[in-house]
Amino acid sequence: MLKRQNPGTPERSRDLAAHGGALSMSHNDSRSFFNLSQLVLSAGQIKPSPALKHSKITYFEVEIVDVQSKKQICIVDKVPPASTILDVKHKFHKACPQWYPSRVGLQLERNGPFLKDSINIQSLAVSSIVTLYFTDLGQQVGWTTFFLTEYTGPLLIYLLFYIRLSTIYDQVESRKNFRHPVVHLACFCHCLHYIRHLLETLFVHKFSEGHTPLKNMIKGCAFYWGFTSWIAYYINHPRYTPPSFGHKQVSYAALAFLMCEAGNHFINVALAHQNNSGNRTCFPSPTYNPFTWLFLLVSCPNYTYEAGSWISFTVMTQTLPVGIFAFLMVIQMSLWAQKKHKLYLKRFYPEVRRKAAMIPIIF
């Protein structure tokens, strides 16, 4: 006959513990409540903290991987948390001297945008090892060199045609024909235009990015230098025909050209002053200068004045090469203005939403 077990026996206690019952703790039990709590606390957090920004990491290791082959090029070690992408590029150049910092493009993802030089490396890190993808951007040139080369060429090329070199024009025919005053005026206006660009490049403009591919400079020089040769050849030709409406056409067009040149300069100065002061919270507003009042109608008045200069120059000289060049410039300026206008809408929507990009109503 089976005996009825006492509920207080040890077997009954183990059975209750197996089914989730309360287990009484004796003085002789080695697993005390204190030891159990220490064990739980030593297990750490259930979820690891994803924020690395607050962790105290002395140095990062930056792994440089080729974007095409996905092979590791090198590891840049001992990168302080306060370092920027530009600092990483300099360290990468020391490890691989064939790649200068200006031609190194670094991406956080293979198909992502290139990281700016001012970005802090700590803001990109999710661990002590940061992986960046490398792209060779090719030979680079500075923006100042880019514009100085692009604008110096037309200035010198036009003057070579203006003095009528014997290798370009027939000297006998050049001596016989009298030069119309518009030829001298066109030379003055053309030189004034590019001298203004050169001076603004040196003393007014501030470029956000330090370099651009060399191929862009070659294409820009081919465009400007080629069109300048074509324009200067016809305007300074001994058989050049003056405008149809004579003095009035030349005078009004020259006045419009000078006004557009002045307006372009004052707009560039206003934009440069805004960038230098660091106040980018609002769109540039017109000042007491009447040339800046165009800000009330368009978001890119510098392109408006630039297009106006070449249209006026076309009317003043009445030549086909200038007309074609002006037409292409208006198209290019409108594309640049549309692109910049979209950026302005994102940053200064209340001030820009009622403005046109370059020409009121049309663009």
Side-chain angles (χ1 to χ4, degrees):
M1 185 174 185
L2 297 176
K3 297 182 179 180
R4 179 180 297 179
Q5 295 181 354
N6 190 353
T9 60
E11 290 80 4
R12 180 61 178 172
S13 299
R14 288 193 297 269
D15 184 59
L16 292 175
H19 289 81
L23 177 65
S24 60
M25 187 179 299
S26 62
H27 295 286
N28 296 327
D29 192 359
S30 61
R31 293 183 180 179
S32 63
F33 178 77
F34 177 77
N35 293 334
L36 181 61
S37 63
Q38 292 294 323
L39 179 63
V40 173
L41 292 177
S42 62
Q45 298 179 353
I46 298 177
K47 295 182 179 180
S49 176
L52 187 65
K53 297 179 181 179
H54 303 288
S55 62
K56 297 180 179 179
I57 295 181
T58 307
Y59 295 106
F60 288 100
E61 289 186 358
V62 180
E63 180 188 18
I64 308 296
V65 179
D66 186 80
V67 71
Q68 299 294 336
S69 62
K70 300 182 182 180
K71 295 181 179 180
Q72 183 188 97
I73 300 177
C74 72
I75 293 180
V76 181
D77 56 352
K78 294 185 178 180
V79 178
S83 299
T84 62
I85 294 295
L86 183 60
D87 298 330
V88 175
K89 289 182 179 180
H90 283 289
K91 289 180 176 292
F92 178 58
H93 171 58
K94 291 182 180 179
C96 303
Q98 67 270 27
W99 288 307
Y100 293 90
S102 60
R103 65 184 299 170
V104 174
L106 297 178
Q107 302 164 275
L108 192 60
E109 299 177 354
R110 291 189 64 196
N111 298 326
F114 290 108
L115 300 173
K116 294 184 178 180
D117 292 342
S118 58
I119 294 180
N120 190 282
I121 195 66
Q122 189 175 11
S123 63
L124 305 174
V126 294
S127 66
S128 60
I129 300 178
V130 182
T131 301
L132 298 178
Y133 294 93
F134 161 76
T135 301
D136 185 6
L137 300 178
Q139 186 65 38
Q140 304 285 303
V141 294
W143 279 110
T144 302
T145 304
F146 176 91
F147 287 113
L148 290 179
T149 305
E150 190 176 68
Y151 295 144
T152 303
L155 179 64
L156 299 178
I157 290 173
Y158 196 96
L159 292 176
L160 292 177
F161 283 90
Y162 176 73
I163 62 177
R164 292 183 176 178
L165 296 177
S166 58
T167 55
I168 301 176
Y169 302 111
D170 182 67
Q171 289 298 309
V172 177
E173 191 175 28
S174 300
R175 294 171 184 172
K176 291 181 179 179
N177 293 343
F178 172 74
R179 290 197 186 190
H180 193 275
V182 71
V183 176
H184 304 290
L185 182 61
C187 180
F188 170 78
C189 292
H190 191 275
C191 293
L192 177 66
H193 177 79
Y194 285 102
I195 289 175
R196 178 184 64 80
H197 274 303
L198 290 172
L199 294 177
E200 288 177 353
T201 300
L202 293 174
F203 303 109
V204 176
H205 294 303
K206 302 297 180 181
F207 305 107
S208 57
E209 298 294 338
H211 300 85
T212 186
L214 178 62
K215 61 181 181 181
N216 290 344
M217 188 181 75
I218 296 176
K219 290 189 294 185
C221 291
F223 178 78
Y224 280 97
W225 294 16
F227 264 102
T228 299
S229 302
W230 193 24
I231 291 170
Y233 176 80
Y234 276 90
I235 295 178
N236 296 285
H237 199 280
R239 298 182 181 180
Y240 168 73
T241 304
S244 303
F245 296 95
H247 181 70
K248 288 186 178 180
Q249 179 178 344
V250 174
S251 300
Y252 290 137
L255 181 61
F257 177 87
L258 295 177
M259 291 180 63
C260 289
E261 287 294 304
N264 200 342
H265 172 70
F266 288 120
I267 292 297
N268 290 332
V269 171
L271 293 175
H273 178 72
Q274 178 208 19
N275 294 337
N276 291 338
S277 62
N279 182 19
R280 301 186 180 185
T281 58
C282 60
F283 186 76
S285 57
T287 63
Y288 63 89
N289 190 337
F291 290 102
T292 62
W293 294 352
L294 198 56
F295 273 122
L296 297 172
L297 301 176
V298 297
S299 59
C300 303
N302 52 330
Y303 295 146
T304 307
Y305 283 123
E306 183 76 11
S309 295
W310 287 111
I311 294 174
S312 302
F313 195 77
T314 303
V315 176
M316 181 179 64
T317 57
Q318 194 175 312
T319 54
L320 180 63
V322 182
I324 296 176
F325 180 74
F327 176 74
L328 296 177
M329 289 296 292
V330 170
I331 294 177
Q332 183 63 74
M333 295 293 172
S334 64
L335 295 176
W336 287 342
Q338 287 288 342
K339 183 178 179 180
K340 187 171 291 187
H341 184 70
K342 292 179 180 179
L343 296 177
Y344 285 155
L345 286 175
K346 295 180 181 179
R347 297 174 57 188
F348 315 112
Y349 176 74
E351 296 90 346
V352 185
R353 64 187 180 91
R354 295 183 179 274
K355 302 178 188 295
M358 188 178 81
I359 301 177
I361 301 175
I362 300 177
F363 296 105

